[in-house]
Amino acid sequence: MARWRNRFAALARTGLPEAFGCPVPDAERIWIDEQLIWLADEFGAQAFQGPVVLPTAEFFPEQYQGTLEDAARLLDRVAGYLGVESRRIDLEVYSAAQLPGVAGHYQLRNGRPVISIERGRLDRAGSVIAVIAHELCHDRLIGEGRIDPARREDHERLTDLLGVFLGLGVIQANHRTEFSVTGGGLRVSRLGYLTEPMYGYALARHAWLRTEYDPGWAAHLDLGPAGQYHRARLYLDTQG
């Protein structure tokens, strides 16, 4: 932990410009580095050493047909990867008209965590996994009393970063931007609060901290996130 702190402190002081190849500006780079230290303090460095969860049958072996029961099974899986007891969590769906533009929602109802997913997403397993991961990370931060969202305006971004820290970053990055065909043509939607370049940098820093120089999981990144990841990795390999 001390080694990470010393290396991050040195990087923060240098303020190396984006011209060196980092996909994010200094303010975002420093925020990610500082919050990864905070997360390591909160959850322990061992939490950072778990497997990187991939959208493969190894991690999600069950058949998925888009039912609420299927989503509940994904919740069980993702909860296990994130260190959450799924039996504590209630899962429900809502219509797009009820919460326009909202992919998922986390709340405490009578002291019990409730995760809600927009019904139209149920037919996309990857999207469901990404939404569940984000909302379960809310539970780890807010439900466990680690942060007060009213006091942290960056709490949504921190929630996404916790997903990267705990190993769900590949799936989250791949579903940061989603495309679907509707009656009106191509629809673009965005999940989460980290930008694609921020995901790329956070994943590259994740690998760098774990001394993974050519991690196999990077091959599972989609084209956009992969480009940001490799740019960030080159930056970190040359600048530290």
Side-chain angles (χ1 to χ4, degrees):
M1 192 74 65
R3 174 173 59 87
W4 292 6
R5 289 183 181 280
N6 292 338
R7 294 171 81 178
F8 281 146
L11 286 169
R13 287 194 298 271
T14 60
L16 292 169
E18 191 172 355
F20 278 76
C22 187
V24 294
D26 281 346
E28 292 179 355
R29 173 179 62 83
I30 293 169
W31 180 85
I32 290 170
D33 289 347
E34 290 179 344
Q35 299 315 309
L36 285 173
I37 293 174
W38 185 87
L39 291 171
D41 285 342
E42 281 291 312
F43 293 93
Q46 72 280 359
F48 194 59
Q49 302 299 326
V52 174
V53 178
L54 301 174
T56 64
E58 176 186 358
F59 292 94
F60 300 98
E62 296 86 2
Q63 291 292 318
Y64 187 84
Q65 297 180 325
T67 67
L68 183 58
E69 291 74 20
D70 290 335
R73 282 190 284 271
L74 289 182
L75 172 62
D76 287 339
R77 287 280 177 185
V78 177
Y81 298 137
L82 293 175
V84 177
E85 291 185 18
S86 60
R87 61 184 180 182
R88 296 176 44 252
I89 311 293
D90 291 331
L91 179 67
E92 59 185 32
V93 296
Y94 58 88
S95 69
Q98 288 176 287
L99 292 172
V102 177
H105 185 253
Y106 170 85
Q107 63 181 311
L108 289 172
R109 185 184 297 157
N110 299 320
R112 187 172 176 86
V114 180
I115 288 177
S116 306
I117 300 176
E118 193 266 308
R119 189 184 303 276
R121 294 186 180 274
L122 285 182
D123 62 345
R124 290 167 279 167
S127 184
V128 171
I129 293 168
V131 170
I132 287 174
H134 179 85
E135 305 309 333
L136 286 176
C137 284
H138 272 314
D139 189 62
R140 297 233 56 189
L141 290 170
I142 300 172
E144 295 179 10
R146 298 177 187 273
I147 66 168
D148 178 355
R151 295 177 178 271
R152 288 203 59 154
E153 63 179 19
D154 64 347
H155 73 274
E156 292 285 5
R157 290 188 299 159
L158 181 65
T159 301
D160 279 344
L161 188 61
L162 176 58
V164 176
F165 180 84
L166 294 177
L168 269 292
V170 169
I171 295 174
Q172 289 176 303
N174 284 348
H175 291 275
R176 171 65 178 88
T177 303
E178 294 186 325
F179 301 91
S180 58
V181 178
T182 68
L186 184 66
R187 176 188 175 190
V188 180
S189 61
R190 290 177 172 80
L191 293 179
Y193 296 82
L194 295 183
T195 65
E196 196 168 88
M198 291 176 78
Y199 268 120
Y201 179 79
L203 286 164
R205 180 63 84 184
H206 182 271
W208 185 85
L209 288 170
R210 291 157 54 109
T211 63
E212 295 178 330
Y213 298 104
D214 187 21
W217 52 258
H220 292 266
L221 287 167
D222 290 348
L223 184 62
Q228 300 294 345
Y229 165 81
H230 288 295
R231 179 181 173 189
R233 190 63 210 238
L234 178 62
Y235 167 83
L236 291 172
D237 287 345
T238 56
Q239 304 299 331

